[in-house]
Amino acid sequence: MINTWVSRITSGLPQYGLWAASGSSYITEICAGSGADWLLVDQEHVPNDVRSVLSQLQTLAAYPDVEVVVRPPAGDAVYIKQLLDIGVQNLIIPMVDTPEQAAHVVAATRYPPRGIRGVGSALARASRWNRVPDYLATADDGLSVTVQVESVEGLANLSQIASVDGVDAVFIGPADLAASLGRLGQPEHADVVNRIEGALAEIVAQGKPAGVNAFNRQIAERYLAAGATFVLVGADVALVARGAEAVVSQYKGAQ
């Protein structure tokens, strides 16, 4: 098992990604051909289930230059097990507030005795239904775990979270962090941006890659300067919504 995502986010070269939130393999494939370095296939806030994620993984297999990261709805061991069994190698786990939660997430991705992942490789796409002869021995090394810190509590525990063995990277979520800071709906508020810049620097100081989403290019550049190496710069559904609005407004505005 080979994991190229971690090597890319530790290479020193920024990795620009798109949020794949539509739940559609068709739209996800369009994004895969955009030149993006990575795609975040989301389950937390969108109607993506295990079957639709599987369909997108199968589609994205034709785009080996695009890294695929999947975010389950929670750091639940059952969700994680199902995603790993269908072939997900890179996970971003939302709402991690403590090092204990981070350690639990890591354990959910490892087979015993290192963790608690259930053994079902004979049924799993990840092992090619046991056609990969050493899958059980090598699976742990082919996975990556990124934890998402997005609360005041998480910021207070950031160094400890980042230092948990098995946590490969830390991603800051501006929207929920803004809400936790009393700035609901204001992820670009100066107070929020300043806290995120400090958090990114703290993650890097712990020797871990740092990520964040920023659809505003100027803010994205600030986060890159603060140490982020992987950044989400757009979302498929937002691009469609804003593009559709822009086209229609050209005609309605001319009436």
Side-chain angles (χ1 to χ4, degrees):
M1 299 291 292
I2 298 173
N3 189 293
T4 55
W5 172 236
V6 174
S7 62
R8 287 178 66 163
I9 61 177
T10 56
S11 68
L13 297 175
Q15 302 296 307
Y16 299 105
L18 294 175
W19 221 309
S22 68
S24 163
S25 296
Y26 204 75
I27 300 299
T28 297
E29 184 167 14
I30 292 172
C31 292
S34 69
D37 298 304
W38 64 292
L39 297 181
L40 174 61
V41 178
D42 194 23
Q43 287 187 302
E44 185 185 10
H45 292 295
V46 305
N48 251 333
D49 58 18
V50 173
R51 287 184 179 275
S52 62
V53 171
L54 171 60
S55 176
Q56 288 167 84
L57 293 177
Q58 292 168 325
T59 297
L60 292 171
Y63 297 84
D65 292 335
V66 180
E67 297 287 348
V68 182
V69 184
V70 176
R71 183 170 70 172
D76 181 270
V78 174
Y79 293 140
I80 290 171
K81 173 175 61 178
Q82 289 183 312
L83 292 174
L84 297 181
D85 283 350
I86 63 171
V88 173
Q89 287 187 270
N90 306 302
L91 293 166
I92 287 184
I93 308 299
M95 297 291 186
V96 174
D97 295 322
T98 68
E100 291 78 16
Q101 288 177 327
H104 172 75
V105 165
V106 172
T109 67
R110 268 58 169 178
Y111 286 122
R114 297 176 65 192
I116 60 171
R117 179 183 175 186
V119 181
S121 58
L123 310 176
R125 175 178 180 265
S127 69
R128 297 302 183 263
W129 305 277
N130 273 350
R131 291 170 183 161
V132 178
D134 59 348
Y135 177 77
L136 292 176
T138 61
D140 291 359
D141 297 329
L143 305 175
S144 78
V145 175
T146 297
V147 294
Q148 187 164 337
V149 172
E150 44 194 337
S151 69
V152 171
E153 182 183 7
L155 287 188
N157 294 320
L158 185 56
S159 293
Q160 291 174 289
I161 292 170
S163 64
V164 168
D165 186 33
V167 169
D168 295 290
V170 181
F171 188 89
I172 302 297
D176 280 299
L177 180 58
S180 184
L181 290 168
R183 302 287 185 182
L184 179 63
Q186 303 176 70
E188 296 182 0
H189 190 281
D191 292 345
V192 180
V193 173
N194 289 337
R195 292 291 291 272
I196 291 174
E197 288 177 313
L200 295 170
E202 189 173 351
I203 296 164
V204 173
Q206 292 297 317
K208 298 292 175 69
V212 67
N213 64 279
F215 297 173
N216 179 316
R217 182 173 178 177
Q218 290 182 329
I219 293 178
E221 289 175 349
R222 287 182 59 173
Y223 291 156
L224 289 166
T229 56
F230 57 109
V231 182
L232 287 171
V233 296
D236 55 0
V237 291
L239 293 169
V240 172
R242 301 295 84 78
E245 292 160 3
V247 169
V248 172
S249 68
Q250 292 179 28
Y251 292 90
K252 287 197 169 184
Q255 292 176 351

